[in-house]
Amino acid sequence: MSPVVTLDWTPVCPLDRLDLDRGVAALVDGVQVAVFRTAHGLYAVDNLDPVGGAYVMSRGLVGSRGGVPTLASPLHKQVYDLTTGRCLDLPGVTLTRHRVRCRDGQVEVRLRQEQ
Amino acid sequence: MSELIVVGNGMVGQRFVEALRARDTDGRWRVTVLAEERRPAYDRVRLSAVFDGVDADELTVHTPDAGVDLRLGEPATGVDRARRVVTTAAGEYPYDALVLATGSYAFVPPVDGTDLPGVFVYRTLDDLTAIREHARGRRTGAVIGGGLLGLEAANALRLLGLATSVVEFAPRLMPVQVDEAGGAMLRRYVEELGVTPYLGVATTALRPGPDGTVAALDLADGRTLDAELVVVAAGIRPRDELARAAGLPLGPRGGVLVDAACRTADERIWAVGECAAVDGVCHGLVAPGYATAEVVADRLLGGAATFPGADTATKLKLLGVDVASFGDAHGVTPGCLDVTYTDPATRSYAKLVLSDDARTLLGGVLVGDASAYPALRASVGGPLPAPPLALLAPAGGAGAGAGALPAGAQVCSCNAVTRADLDAAIAGGAADVPALKACTRAGTSCGSCVPMLKQLLDAAGVRQSTALCEHFDHSRQELFDLIRVRGIRTFSRLVAEHGRGSGCDICKPVVASILASLGTGHVLDGEAASLQDTNDHFLANLQRDGSYSVVPRIPGGEITPEKLIAIGEVARDFQLYTKITGGQRIDLFGARVDQLPQIWRRLVDAGFESGHAYGKALRTVKSCVGDTWCRYGVQDSVGLAVALELRYRGLRAPHKLKSAVSGCARECAEARSKDFGVIATEGGWNLYVGGNGGFRPRHADLFATDLSTAELVTLIDRFLMYYIRTADRLQRTAAWIEAMDGGLDHLRSVLVDDSLGLCADLDAAMARHVTSYSDEWRDVLEDPDRLRRFTSFVNAPGVPDPSISFTRERGQPVPARDAGHRRQPVALGLPEVRR
């Protein structure tokens, strides 16, 4: 596994600001992060669409494929596994994931950048 | 004034009261109606329409009349002929004349278990409500009785999502109306719809499950069917108990015995409708019932009318199949001849019964294609209007799809995939669209070729599932029906009851669109917001750099200078790239999500509304300038285009919809490249349907000619609603018509001749859309909860998205391409990260 660089946890918003199954964008240490609240839990990934190159992933639709929670790019609909970041439609493409948790009703994000 | 008591407020009882009141101009009768049901008379013939989304109130046939004392929920309990009073639980009503219109009840055969919870009859609106309630969460149903009503009930259970069986004691379906071969054809249709018939077998018992409600149905041949809901539709019996108790004579098979004047043995008592045995014979159809009502109304005012005899000819639509029978359908006339026609290809069956010299038409049966019915019925008893085969042969129709493309044709131009590539992938085992996408990349970019991928799979003989995605086994049309019939209003309930998993980017927008088509509220309200594609979620069109474009509606392409200036000012102030679209409106590009409400505040204040460029919805109705200015124009094309655009604005559909109106045959508005196009003629309007530009350009086909504006609008209403209800996901009108069995001819028979009996529903659905329309953008601006979605960053709402930046080209802002594509974020205080 590649070395992982992390910063501190950054509070982003209250949990109830997040609609179920709808994402928001947040700025964390200068990086655009897409944060989702689903029935499976909270997820944070890079807001950058690795295929389209625009910062739009927070506007994708979440769902499931074969029981795995997924996120579809709003640009060209490639579907990503939210638990691994792996693109399920295009081999070799990965969406950067970040860490997210809920503390005292606040959603917090910590960057995780994999080489 | 004399007292008239009417017992019963069904269709015939109501018709009788109306007939009497219309003719009783001297006020000879004071009318009191005693009704068992709590609802005034309704159209029992169309009862099943409730499952097609028709509101129960729309079925009412009762017109309030201050001169009639209608006592709902107060059934008559007895008749004292000596004292001339009718008794109810509330009191006594003296009469000078008494009309029995008690109708009939559903016959329930003496079978064990018919009293279990979950066993219903199919007679009243309350029955249907109870059936719908009980069906919730259940998977199997059965109908006892394969006659007309039984098949209607079976269709209702099917629409409620139950796996449905029909048990019929006779060896064929609809034994009264059709003969053996017609029954066999009907059986094929019924089976194709997923309803399983069990014929020539009796039901011996219904058995409960652990919860005490019905769970199984035992057949006489030893088989057992799963049935968590059972409808008994084994025939009807006249309600003659009042007459019986009052000592009036009954018919040989029940019913209140009346003479040809519809009078009983008691000269003050009459009977009409299904409870009356006219000269000993009961009639279960509404037309003979109405005839009895007219007879008695006439008699009570001194007339001498007599029952003219019953016309038992029927034409109906059962489970989507036309069935007609008329005259001597079973050929019982001595020496009669049959001419039969069976066509497995068009799946139609027809039989004519002729006199022994083959010159006179005696009767017949039609299954599958009943278009000849009106002419044939009119010819009964007379000479044939044409040779039998010419009368019976149905009109055909066909269409071609992507299967006709040559091998070298590029199917996916985004990824340069040819038909040969796709055929190779199919030969290599790709068995569905996702597999084709994965191995060829076709359809992975703009997606417009996806329907062609399906057609190529079809052409290669690969059997396709109609399942929408892994979360639903249903097609879009089936989901539409489920949502409509079951009154489902949320995705979570739909997926819990009829699907699995959490949904995806395929099924969620489909369900969002269906809910929007059904007019269930704003697209951003409640759970619906989570289903919308980004375009519908931000009510704008996502562009490659993550910014959005904005298109205000400009109906018919007609715009005042003031409005044009307002758009120009908005574009200037927000620095938006501005372009005229092909649909005669103006697209403003480069807006950030947080700017959208500010832009729309300005536009709404200037009198604009959403153009729905972001939705699978009506886009524009383009027009030429028409006869107002043009030397060649013959009609006001701009006026019509504006009216059509305003009528259909906001209408969500399986795909975007475009339209145009040309003011003369020169066709400057290019109407034939639209989903529905209108071209003016000297005599009115010609309507064309099924055209499109885009990936596979196609000229629209002529659908109807020389229409008045009202006729035109009615046809377009039906065309659009039928498309919305039955098309596949992302199927444009052209592909929809091409894929339709019977093609354009079939469409014409449905929308013009009402061959499916759907038109009233389609008309009502469009009327609901028109009256419930509201501008989506204005609704957003007025609602803080909807507005909060338009934020750049949840933790920094004041910071504009730094990734969106522009350079200038030909005097306008355009995305800064090099910088915008795969640009790295500025990682503050972080070591450089390599990708």
Side-chain angles (χ1 to χ4, degrees):
Chain A
M1 195 62 197
S2 52
V4 171
V5 182
T6 59
L7 291 180
D8 287 339
W9 288 99
T10 304
V12 162
C13 65
L15 182 65
D16 60 17
R17 174 67 177 77
L18 298 182
D19 292 335
L20 194 63
D21 287 348
R22 195 86 243 181
V24 296
L27 267 181
V28 178
D29 298 316
V31 173
Q32 289 199 28
V33 177
V35 184
F36 298 89
R37 181 181 165 198
T38 77
H40 299 269
L42 292 170
Y43 295 96
V45 295
D46 229 273
N47 199 29
L48 177 67
D49 181 334
V51 178
Y55 289 78
V56 295
M57 294 308 290
S58 62
R59 305 172 206 158
L61 283 174
V62 295
S64 67
R65 190 183 279 187
V68 173
T70 57
L71 170 64
S73 160
L75 278 173
H76 287 141
K77 317 291 181 202
Q78 295 90 1
V79 173
Y80 297 85
D81 179 344
L82 273 174
T83 62
T84 63
R86 204 165 51 85
C87 181
L88 299 176
D89 296 330
L90 297 173
V93 176
T94 305
L95 184 60
T96 305
R97 288 173 305 135
H98 300 290
R99 303 183 66 181
V100 60
R101 68 183 184 188
C102 180
R103 272 291 154 89
D104 303 326
Q106 286 291 315
V107 177
E108 299 179 345
V109 171
R110 187 162 72 174
L111 294 187
R112 174 166 61 181
Q113 302 213 338
E114 292 148 316
Q115 267 183 301
Chain B
M1 210 176 201
S2 305
E3 296 290 343
L4 170 63
I5 308 293
V6 182
V7 179
N9 189 227
M11 296 172 76
V12 173
Q14 178 64 28
R15 169 64 70 94
F16 163 72
V17 170
E18 285 172 15
L20 181 95
R21 293 282 299 159
R23 292 179 210 174
D24 186 12
T25 44
D26 304 335
R28 285 164 65 179
W29 294 100
R30 193 201 326 267
V31 183
T32 303
V33 179
L34 304 174
E36 181 175 56
E37 287 187 64
R38 297 189 176 278
R39 192 183 279 278
Y42 53 87
D43 187 348
R44 222 181 284 276
V45 176
R46 284 181 64 220
L47 203 55
S48 299
V50 171
F51 290 118
D52 286 328
V54 171
D55 193 77
D57 292 334
E58 290 176 42
L59 293 182
T60 189
V61 294
H62 174 261
T63 21
D65 179 346
V68 175
D69 184 10
L70 173 61
R71 299 186 161 258
L72 295 172
E74 190 180 342
T77 53
V79 176
D80 185 336
R81 288 167 56 198
R83 291 170 50 225
R84 297 212 313 257
V85 292
V86 178
T87 50
T88 71
E92 293 193 334
Y93 296 87
Y95 65 81
D96 297 298
L98 169 63
V99 175
L100 299 175
T102 46
S104 52
Y105 64 93
F107 168 66
V108 178
V111 170
D112 280 351
T114 50
D115 54 348
L116 287 171
V119 181
F120 303 92
V121 298
Y122 200 84
R123 190 81 194 137
T124 65
L125 279 169
D126 288 346
D127 292 335
L128 266 62
T129 306
I131 288 169
R132 190 202 297 251
E133 284 299 310
H134 190 79
R136 192 160 292 159
R138 291 189 160 83
R139 306 228 169 229
T140 55
V143 177
I144 300 176
L148 199 156
L149 197 64
L151 291 185
E152 253 192 53
N155 194 39
L157 299 194
R158 186 181 72 89
L159 287 172
L160 289 170
L162 302 184
T164 304
S165 316
V166 173
V167 182
E168 167 58 48
F169 183 68
R172 62 176 182 273
L173 295 167
M174 291 186 71
V176 178
Q177 287 84 6
V178 307
D179 61 357
E180 201 179 320
M185 189 66 74
L186 197 54
R187 176 189 185 137
R188 286 183 51 192
Y189 276 106
V190 166
E191 284 175 337
E192 270 174 33
L193 286 169
V195 173
T196 315
Y198 294 84
L199 303 178
V201 64
T203 305
T204 51
L206 303 179
R207 287 188 286 108
D211 66 350
T213 66
V214 70
L217 184 152
D218 290 338
L219 297 177
D221 60 10
R223 284 182 289 182
T224 293
L225 313 179
D226 286 338
E228 299 167 281
L229 188 158
V230 173
V231 175
V232 181
I236 55 171
R237 297 287 183 273
R239 293 192 61 175
D240 53 17
E241 64 269 21
L242 278 178
R244 186 191 302 264
L248 288 169
L250 304 180
R253 306 182 66 183
V256 187
L257 185 65
V258 295
D259 58 17
C262 298
R263 193 195 313 243
T264 68
D266 182 328
E267 62 168 15
R268 291 182 182 272
I269 304 181
W270 313 72
V272 295
E274 290 177 352
C275 72
V278 185
D279 290 328
V281 180
C282 291
H283 299 284
L285 295 170
V286 74
Y290 283 162
T292 59
E294 298 290 338
V295 168
V296 176
D298 181 70
R299 289 274 173 167
L300 285 177
L301 295 169
T306 55
F307 184 66
D311 180 358
T312 55
T314 41
K315 170 174 179 275
L316 42 111
K317 190 90 202 170
L318 276 175
L319 297 123
V321 188
D322 275 323
V323 179
S325 89
F326 51 94
D328 180 11
H330 292 282
V332 296
T333 308
C336 67
L337 306 170
D338 284 357
V339 178
T340 60
Y341 174 89
T342 309
D343 185 348
T346 60
R347 298 182 309 171
S348 53
Y349 165 79
K351 177 175 82 172
L352 296 185
V353 179
L354 307 178
S355 60
D356 53 5
D357 60 358
R359 288 168 185 275
T360 307
L361 179 64
L362 300 176
V365 176
L366 305 170
V367 176
D369 177 1
S371 49
Y373 171 75
L376 291 175
R377 181 188 172 186
S379 307
V380 170
L384 282 168
L389 208 59
L391 287 172
L392 297 178
L405 290 175
Q410 210 167 69
V411 174
C412 173
S413 53
C414 301
N415 296 296
V417 184
T418 62
R419 164 153 194 193
D421 299 334
L422 289 160
D423 282 346
I426 293 169
D432 57 16
V433 171
L436 271 184
K437 281 179 161 181
C439 51
T440 65
R441 295 183 61 110
T444 55
S445 298
C446 78
S448 68
C449 62
V450 169
M452 298 216 290
L453 302 185
K454 279 192 180 168
Q455 289 171 10
L456 285 176
L457 285 162
D458 286 342
V462 178
R463 210 180 164 80
Q464 304 257 329
S465 163
T466 56
L468 187 62
C469 63
E470 68 173 60
H471 304 101
F472 291 98
D473 295 332
H474 310 76
S475 66
R476 179 190 172 277
Q477 179 180 356
E478 288 165 339
L479 279 182
F480 194 102
D481 288 341
L482 271 177
I483 292 170
R484 185 166 57 99
V485 171
R486 294 216 171 198
I488 293 171
R489 290 294 171 263
T490 61
F491 181 85
S492 50
R493 187 182 147 198
L494 183 73
V495 78
E497 292 184 7
H498 302 285
R500 64 187 77 83
S502 5
C504 63
D505 58 311
I506 293 172
C507 58
K508 282 181 169 182
V510 165
V511 173
S513 162
I514 292 172
L515 290 172
S517 293
L518 288 169
T520 57
H522 197 279
V523 293
L524 294 186
D525 280 356
E527 200 193 278
S530 73
L531 308 177
Q532 310 294 345
D533 255 326
T534 187
N535 284 7
D536 279 303
H537 190 236
F538 288 111
L539 308 169
N541 291 45
L542 178 64
Q543 301 300 323
R544 64 181 313 138
D545 64 339
S547 71
Y548 288 79
S549 79
V550 168
V551 185
R553 187 169 297 290
I554 300 176
E558 182 183 68
I559 186 164
T560 62
E562 288 72 23
K563 282 186 145 181
L564 206 47
I565 290 166
I567 288 183
E569 287 177 344
V570 168
R572 181 195 60 207
D573 295 351
F574 288 89
Q575 298 183 50
L576 303 173
Y577 170 89
T578 306
K579 189 170 190 313
I580 310 289
T581 73
Q584 299 185 334
R585 41 195 199 173
I586 300 171
D587 209 338
L588 309 172
F589 290 80
R592 301 187 311 266
V593 284
D594 48 299
Q595 289 179 312
L596 290 170
Q598 306 161 35
I599 290 168
W600 272 104
R601 179 79 268 161
R602 292 268 302 271
L603 291 171
V604 166
D605 287 348
F608 288 100
E609 61 180 1
S610 168
H612 292 97
Y614 47 81
K616 307 283 180 232
L618 177 83
R619 298 285 171 83
T620 76
V621 183
K622 187 175 167 177
S623 66
C624 70
V625 79
D627 69 353
T628 315
W629 293 94
C630 179
R631 286 176 294 150
Y632 304 107
V634 293
Q635 303 275 0
D636 177 13
S637 49
V638 179
L640 180 70
V642 171
L644 292 178
E645 186 159 341
L646 294 181
R647 183 170 180 80
Y648 304 121
R649 62 187 164 179
L651 183 66
R652 291 294 204 287
H655 205 297
K656 67 182 170 188
L657 284 164
K658 294 184 175 182
S659 178
V661 182
S662 279
C664 79
R666 285 173 180 76
E667 241 283 71
C668 296
E670 299 166 314
R672 290 197 64 196
S673 66
K674 305 300 180 190
D675 294 281
F676 60 102
V678 182
I679 301 177
T681 68
E682 295 286 350
W685 307 101
N686 284 355
L687 173 60
Y688 294 80
V689 297
N692 54 243
F695 185 78
R696 233 181 113 210
R698 185 182 186 283
H699 265 151
D701 295 313
L702 182 61
F703 187 73
T705 55
D706 288 330
L707 302 163
S708 70
T709 305
E711 290 166 339
L712 173 78
V713 169
T714 299
L715 279 186
I716 299 174
D717 281 2
R718 292 174 183 173
F719 171 74
L720 293 177
M721 272 299 162
Y722 191 48
Y723 166 64
I724 288 169
R725 286 192 175 187
T726 61
D728 263 345
R729 166 180 177 265
L730 300 185
Q731 187 176 38
R732 276 197 92 162
T733 54
W736 172 65
I737 296 169
E738 273 176 25
M740 195 178 282
D741 272 348
L744 204 63
D745 288 334
H746 173 73
L747 189 64
R748 213 174 268 124
S749 79
V750 173
L751 305 185
V752 179
D753 307 328
D754 199 11
S755 63
L756 298 187
L758 276 178
C759 289
D761 286 352
L762 299 177
D763 294 347
M766 187 60 84
R768 280 195 291 274
H769 164 76
V770 172
T771 52
S772 66
Y773 168 80
S774 171
D775 174 24
E776 278 169 356
W777 259 110
R778 178 186 289 272
D779 295 341
V780 165
L781 296 176
E782 288 168 355
D783 185 324
D785 189 53
R786 294 170 186 152
L787 274 175
R788 78 180 158 82
R789 302 177 181 281
F790 297 84
T791 306
S792 56
F793 299 105
V794 69
N795 60 342
V799 178
D801 182 347
S803 75
I804 295 178
S805 61
F806 302 100
T807 173
R808 291 186 84 79
E809 224 174 71
R810 294 182 295 278
Q812 291 213 74
V814 294
R817 278 296 275 272
D818 294 332
H821 194 67
R822 293 213 169 228
R823 192 157 48 121
Q824 298 296 320
V826 182
L828 301 171
L830 275 175
E832 187 73 8
V833 177
R834 206 178 68 237
R835 283 179 197 259

